[in-house]
């Protein structure tokens, strides 16, 4: 027992030991919340609570995996495996796989990701839009997703194109036995709300529930939590920080944490305020800023690390100088303080700010990484392979069928595909059903009919094959790609040999991930289980999933949450950038203040903030105004500098001596 609690501060200790009833742990930035959650689970097990009765829920696959690993390191392996550590969406998939038949779906439903959704919406918009009506599929997807997450119905006006598209989209999804990512939560909540049997079964399954990053929950997730918790016991512990609630644009409801007592009366509220990441002066600066948000739960971060270096605010003539100055300072710090490239991070509010920073880093041959690049599972060749597998699991999946029917080409022309699509709409059935329809087949040429039958028979054969839970689906997929000439097709569509090699390696990496998944699965559900795990990777998190990689990190402030760096540069502290102009217009200043608070609290040792006197917008230099947030900083907590004045100052004797020493070292090396 002592090993579980050793090293915990008094607040952390209290959070670990408070097991029963509603508990709200207000975990400020860098206060060791993951350690507390892990220790809490271990403490419960030591108290004799059955591991299968504990549920811990978080948002990202990475966070869930980290939690699993930490629990496995603190308790016996068998007990660790029995604890359910899950993301919201993977938990909902489990609920749906068991109970979705009560909503009229089959258990082998397909999960559509964003690109699948956009593909289906594109087809629906073409059918529904009049000649003068325009609706971008991506915009439609965003509107539908936002409506589902916020529980706000899409416009029901009779002349509303989006309403018509929405209803057709939902109807076709069900017809295809498919759900989109937002439906996972919606349908799980619906099942638990409408079926007392399902609700009793799931709430009986877990006696204790914990939710991490609670400030990021939306209204649906809050409803799911309420449905899963036994009302007579209310053993619910949530961990979060309202000061780090920065995902309002994704539907996060800060009221869930601010009004927690409304959902679960008389909770025990425990504040974690001792920060283990940053120096005190950085934390004081953050505190002086965030205290200006009205209605927040009051907390004051502090550290035992001492004050450290005073943060700086540097005014730059323009964004080109800003980028070059930051890069040269990184070079200088690396040389003088022997820092690693990974010690540095440059944070920015808008993606458009990264271009000049990248350019300046490349000019100096500095390795860097932009967090939030293209996901492996979003690559074209990966999505093509996954579409084949999705089709075998659910032949009525029109989006997957349309993706692979001519990839690679197999003698089924666009005219045949268009005819089959129109026929399916007319007959209200899937396109694959049309390929079996004798009446439709008689309308085709002999060549097209032969090609359609060959494709149809191939899909039928694999559909039967993938039903087996003992199937080696990695080997099956490899054989499939060989039989259809997939890699030859990929190579033909590459512009350079290097691109061909890269794409071939990507496919090989996918096959390897399938092998690893099959080897690691404790109770394999076959190919279906692998495809569920892939779909759940598309959860709404920044794609890089927080992995640092090698080199200087270029990262948006939203993507920086949860990360830390010894040296942090926060660029673009200007009105219209931070706070963002849209937020100023829409009254979202509080969230913008929280975004800056998150950015500041990423810094462990050194913090530099910059702003530009002029910035290029729409091809013209425009004057900038310093962010209103700077007025909220306590003056004695930061140093304000002008870059041009700094650059004009003559070098000191010490600086000259250090410069020549560095030159000698470079020449002797």
């Amino acid at each position: 027992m002592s090993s579980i609690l050793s090293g915990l501060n008094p607040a952390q200790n209290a959070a670990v030991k408070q097991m029963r009833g509603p508990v709200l742990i207000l975990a400020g930035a860098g206060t060791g919340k993951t350690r507390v959650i892990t220790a809490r689970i271990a403490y419960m097990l030591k108290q004799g609570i059955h591991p299968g009765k504990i549920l811990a829920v978080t948002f990202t696959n990475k966070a869930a995996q980290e939690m699993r690993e930490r629990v496995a390191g603190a308790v016996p392996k068998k007990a660790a495996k029995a604890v359910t550590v899950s993301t919201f969406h993977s938990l909902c998939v489990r609920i749906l796989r068991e109970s979705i038949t009560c909503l009229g779906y089959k258990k082998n439903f397909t999960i559509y990701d964003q690109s699948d959704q956009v593909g289906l919406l594109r087809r629906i918009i073409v059918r529904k839009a009049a000649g003068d009506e325009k609706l971008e599929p991506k915009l439609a997807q965003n509107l539908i997703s936002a409506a589902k997450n916020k529980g706000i119905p899409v416009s029901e006006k009779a002349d509303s194109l989006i309403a018509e598209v929405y209803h057709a989209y939902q109807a076709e999804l069900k017809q295809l036995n498919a759900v989109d990512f937002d439906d996972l939560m919606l349908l799980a909540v619906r099942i638990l709300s409408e079926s007392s049997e399902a609700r009793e079964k799931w709430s009986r399954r877990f006696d204790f529930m914990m939710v991490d990053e609670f400030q990021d929950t939306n209204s649906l997730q809050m409803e799911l939590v309420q449905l899963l918790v036994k009302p007579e016991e209310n053993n619910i512990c949530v961990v979060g920080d309202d000061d780090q609630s920065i995902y309002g644009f994704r539907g996060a409801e800060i009221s869930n944490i601010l009004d927690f007592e409304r959902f679960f009366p008389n909770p025990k509220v425990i504040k974690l305020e001792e920060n283990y990441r940053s120096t005190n002066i950085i934390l004081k600066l953050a505190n002086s800023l965030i205290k200006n948000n009205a209605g927040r739960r009051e907390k004051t971060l502090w550290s035992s690390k001492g004050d450290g270096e005073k943060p700086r605010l540097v005014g730059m003539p323009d964004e080109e100088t800003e980028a070059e100055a930051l890069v040269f300072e990184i070079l200088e710090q690396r040389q003088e303080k022997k820092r690693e490239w990974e010690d540095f991070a440059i944070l920015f509010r808008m993606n458009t700010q990264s271009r000049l920073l990248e350019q300046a880093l490349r000019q100096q041959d500095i390795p860097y990484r932009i967090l939030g690049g293209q996901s492996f599972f979003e690559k074209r060749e990966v999505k093509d392979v996954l579409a084949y597998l999705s089709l075998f699991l659910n032949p009525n999946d029109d989006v997957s069928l349309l993706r692979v029917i001519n990839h690679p080409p197999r003698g089924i022309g666009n005219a045949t595909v268009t005819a089959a699509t129109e026929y399916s709409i007319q007959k209200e059935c899937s396109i694959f059903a049309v390929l079996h329809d004798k009446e439709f087949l008689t309308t085709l040429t002999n060549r097209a009919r032969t090609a359609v039958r060959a494709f149809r028979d191939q899909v039928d054969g694999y559909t039967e094959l993938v039903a087996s839970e003992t199937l080696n689906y990695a080997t099956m997929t490899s054989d499939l790609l060989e039989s259809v000439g997939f890699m030859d097709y990929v190579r033909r569509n590459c512009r350079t040999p290097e691109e061909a090699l890269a794409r071939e390696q990507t496919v090989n990496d996918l096959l390897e991930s399938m092998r690893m998944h099959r080897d690691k699965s404790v109770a394999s559900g076959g190919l279906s289980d692998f495809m569920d795990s892939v779909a759940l990777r598309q959860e709404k998190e920044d794609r890089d999933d927080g992995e640092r990689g090698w080199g200087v990190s270029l990262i948006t402030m939203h993507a920086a949450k949860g990360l830390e760096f010894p040296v942090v540069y926060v660029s673009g502290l200007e009105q219209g950038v931070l706070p963002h102009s849209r937020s100023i217009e829409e009254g979202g200043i509080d969230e913008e203040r929280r975004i800056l608070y998150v950015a500041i609290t990423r810094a462990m040792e050194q913090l530099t903030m910059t702003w530009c006197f002029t910035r290029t917008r729409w091809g013209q230099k425009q004057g900038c105004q310093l962010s209103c947030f700077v007025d909220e900083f306590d003056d004695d907590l930061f140093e304000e500098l002008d870059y041009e004045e700094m650059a004009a100052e003559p070098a000191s004797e010490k600086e000259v001596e250090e410069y020549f020493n560095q030159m000698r070292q470079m020449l002797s090396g």
Side-chain angles (χ1 to χ4, degrees):
M1 185 70 69
S2 60
S3 62
I4 293 171
L5 302 176
S6 62
L8 297 178
N9 66 41
Q12 291 174 329
N13 192 296
V16 168
K17 288 183 174 179
Q18 184 66 44
M19 295 189 303
R20 299 191 180 274
V23 183
L24 170 58
I25 301 174
L26 293 169
T31 56
K33 71 179 178 65
T34 307
R35 184 182 180 191
V36 167
I37 294 169
T38 305
R40 203 168 188 276
I41 293 171
Y43 185 79
M44 284 181 180
L45 297 177
K46 291 284 186 182
Q47 294 295 309
I49 293 168
H50 190 280
K53 290 292 185 179
I54 300 171
L55 169 65
V57 185
T58 188
F59 278 83
T60 70
N61 291 298
K62 186 192 175 200
Q65 182 60 30
E66 182 185 354
M67 205 181 292
R68 284 188 205 102
E69 289 170 358
R70 290 211 190 186
V71 171
V75 302
K77 283 187 178 180
K78 189 176 179 182
K81 278 189 175 181
V83 175
T84 300
V85 180
S86 169
T87 64
F88 272 104
H89 286 98
S90 57
L91 176 64
C92 288
V93 168
R94 288 179 61 183
I95 295 170
L96 296 182
R97 289 289 178 205
E98 284 191 24
S99 308
I100 200 170
T101 50
C102 70
L103 298 180
Y105 292 82
K106 297 175 190 172
K107 285 188 177 181
N108 70 331
F109 61 86
T110 300
I111 302 170
Y112 274 20
D113 65 14
Q114 272 196 0
S115 61
D116 296 328
Q117 291 174 258
V118 170
L120 177 57
L121 286 165
R122 183 174 287 113
R123 290 169 42 219
I124 292 170
I125 291 167
V126 167
R127 297 202 315 267
K128 297 290 184 183
D132 59 343
E133 289 183 303
K134 298 288 181 188
L135 179 61
E136 286 295 322
K138 182 65 181 170
L139 174 61
Q141 189 267 330
N142 287 338
L143 290 171
I144 290 169
S145 177
K148 287 182 177 182
N149 276 296
K150 291 187 176 180
I152 302 168
V154 174
S155 173
E156 296 291 340
K157 293 178 183 175
D159 60 347
S160 170
L161 175 59
I162 183 61
E164 198 173 346
V165 167
Y166 170 74
H167 291 306
Y169 170 72
Q170 286 302 113
E172 289 204 29
L173 272 181
K174 191 162 187 180
Q175 182 185 314
L176 297 167
N177 195 39
V179 298
D180 65 25
F181 223 74
D182 301 307
D183 285 332
L184 295 177
M185 191 76 60
L186 266 174
L187 297 180
V189 166
R190 189 174 151 198
I191 286 170
L192 296 177
S193 299
E194 296 177 4
S195 169
S196 56
E197 182 186 343
R199 180 178 179 181
E200 189 179 342
K201 181 172 101 174
W202 280 94
S203 65
R204 201 168 55 236
R205 187 169 295 188
F206 304 108
D207 288 339
F208 295 86
M209 184 175 184
M210 278 177 279
V211 183
D212 189 18
E213 300 288 3
F214 190 68
Q215 76 281 343
D216 294 337
T217 53
N218 60 29
S219 54
L220 263 177
Q221 287 157 342
M222 184 71 234
E223 196 174 343
L224 180 72
V225 169
Q226 291 176 283
L227 289 165
L228 287 171
V229 173
K230 289 180 180 174
E232 64 276 14
E233 296 175 9
N234 273 348
N235 292 330
I236 172 70
C237 172
V238 302
V239 186
D241 180 9
D242 53 301
D243 291 337
Q244 295 185 76
S245 179
I246 60 173
Y247 294 124
F249 66 98
R250 291 180 181 170
E253 296 276 358
I254 194 172
S255 59
N256 288 349
I257 193 166
L258 292 179
D259 303 332
F260 184 70
E261 292 86 347
R262 183 162 57 88
F263 304 104
F264 297 100
N266 304 313
K268 176 74 173 176
V269 180
I270 300 167
K271 297 180 184 180
L272 304 183
E273 298 173 295
E274 182 176 357
N275 176 287
Y276 295 94
R277 174 189 298 154
S278 308
T279 58
N280 248 323
I281 198 156
I282 291 172
L283 297 177
K284 286 176 181 177
L285 186 76
N287 290 334
S288 73
L289 171 73
I290 202 64
K291 70 181 182 184
N292 293 281
N293 267 7
R296 62 183 284 266
R297 289 185 180 269
E298 190 176 337
K299 65 194 83 67
T300 303
L301 295 183
W302 63 276
S303 169
S304 59
K305 286 186 169 186
D307 270 354
E309 290 185 29
K310 189 175 279 193
R312 299 177 300 160
L313 173 67
V314 185
M316 302 283 184
D318 51 48
E319 66 264 50
E320 289 88 355
T321 307
E322 178 187 49
E324 290 168 5
L326 295 186
V327 168
F328 276 114
E329 182 163 305
I330 288 171
L331 280 169
E332 188 176 41
Q333 284 229 35
R334 179 171 164 82
Q335 181 68 34
E336 290 181 6
K337 299 191 177 181
K338 308 301 179 190
R339 290 194 180 276
E340 300 296 327
W341 295 124
E342 291 73 36
D343 290 348
F344 302 96
I346 305 175
L347 276 53
F348 42 86
R349 176 66 179 85
M350 301 185 295
N351 278 305
T352 51
Q353 291 172 257
S354 72
R355 183 182 63 82
L356 288 170
L357 294 165
E358 282 188 76
Q359 186 176 301
L361 288 164
R362 281 199 302 266
Q363 284 173 350
Q364 299 301 321
D365 291 325
I366 297 175
Y368 68 91
R369 185 174 190 188
I370 299 179
L371 274 70
Q374 186 189 29
S375 162
F376 174 84
F377 289 93
E378 285 295 313
K379 292 183 178 179
R380 188 175 69 226
E381 58 274 23
V382 172
K383 291 197 68 64
D384 285 344
V385 175
L386 294 178
Y388 270 106
L389 303 181
S390 184
L391 181 62
F392 299 156
L393 287 168
N394 178 9
N396 292 324
D397 179 355
D398 280 0
V399 170
S400 292
L401 182 144
L402 290 171
R403 186 174 188 104
V404 304
I405 196 166
N406 269 324
H407 291 74
R410 50 174 49 87
I412 304 174
N414 288 336
T416 301
V417 174
T418 302
T421 304
E422 290 174 352
Y423 196 88
S424 75
I425 295 165
Q426 181 188 333
K427 295 287 186 179
E428 296 185 347
C429 64
S430 70
I431 296 173
F432 191 68
V434 170
L435 303 187
H436 284 79
D437 190 290
K438 291 179 181 178
E439 183 181 332
F440 172 75
L441 291 173
T442 60
T443 67
L444 305 179
T445 63
N446 287 335
R447 185 167 175 265
R449 193 181 306 121
T450 301
V452 164
R453 282 175 174 155
F455 174 70
R456 180 194 71 190
D457 293 345
Q458 183 184 47
V459 174
D460 280 334
Y462 278 103
T463 298
E464 191 172 332
L465 190 61
V466 300
S468 168
E469 289 188 1
T470 59
L471 171 72
N472 187 328
Y473 42 87
T475 301
M476 180 210 76
T477 305
S478 180
D479 293 342
L480 164 74
L481 300 182
E482 182 70 29
S483 69
V484 300
F486 184 81
M487 288 315 306
D488 288 338
Y489 163 72
V490 168
R491 290 186 201 101
R492 287 197 304 271
N493 284 276
C494 291
R495 285 170 289 194
T496 64
E498 291 78 13
E499 183 186 357
L501 281 171
R503 292 193 179 279
E504 188 170 0
Q505 184 58 49
T506 298
V507 175
N508 289 333
D509 289 345
L510 174 62
L511 294 172
E512 182 59 27
S513 74
M514 296 174 78
R515 293 186 194 101
M516 289 173 64
H517 183 273
R518 189 170 182 271
D519 291 343
K520 286 183 179 178
S521 293
V522 180
S524 175
L527 179 62
S528 177
D529 188 59
F530 172 76
M531 293 298 285
D532 280 351
S533 74
V534 170
L536 290 167
R537 289 173 186 268
Q538 310 302 319
E539 293 189 59
K540 292 180 177 176
E541 63 190 79
D542 288 310
R543 290 294 186 220
D544 204 81
D545 222 15
E547 291 179 11
R548 295 262 294 278
W550 186 70
V552 174
S553 292
L554 294 183
I555 179 170
T556 65
M557 294 176 190
H558 281 98
K561 192 157 79 71
L563 303 181
E564 58 185 36
F565 304 89
V567 183
V568 167
Y569 298 94
V570 177
S571 66
L573 219 60
E574 302 138 31
Q575 285 295 104
V577 177
L578 184 66
H580 193 280
S581 54
R582 185 174 61 248
S583 299
I584 296 171
E585 292 163 10
E586 296 174 1
I589 291 291
D590 280 2
E591 181 153 322
E592 292 292 300
R593 189 179 283 109
R594 292 194 292 269
I595 290 169
L596 179 55
Y597 174 81
V598 166
I600 290 170
T601 53
R602 299 313 94 196
M604 299 167 71
E605 300 168 18
Q606 295 179 14
L607 172 67
T608 299
M609 301 166 287
T610 62
W611 72 288
C612 296
F613 306 148
T614 63
R615 193 174 286 275
T616 303
R617 292 189 180 93
W618 303 289
Q620 289 188 329
K621 287 274 186 188
Q622 296 185 7
C624 299
Q625 184 182 344
L626 184 60
S627 171
C628 60
F629 294 144
V630 173
D631 290 336
E632 298 174 357
F633 294 150
D634 288 352
D635 291 340
D636 59 339
L637 296 177
F638 71 103
E639 184 180 7
E640 192 163 2
L641 303 165
D642 184 308
Y643 177 76
E644 289 180 314
E645 290 178 8
M646 290 165 58
E649 286 179 5
S652 67
E653 287 184 24
K654 185 180 178 184
E655 287 171 333
V656 171
E657 185 180 346
E658 285 178 353
Y659 173 77
F660 282 111
N661 284 337
Q662 290 170 24
M663 291 296 290
R664 288 188 199 100
Q665 287 174 19
M666 290 169 64
L667 291 170
S668 62

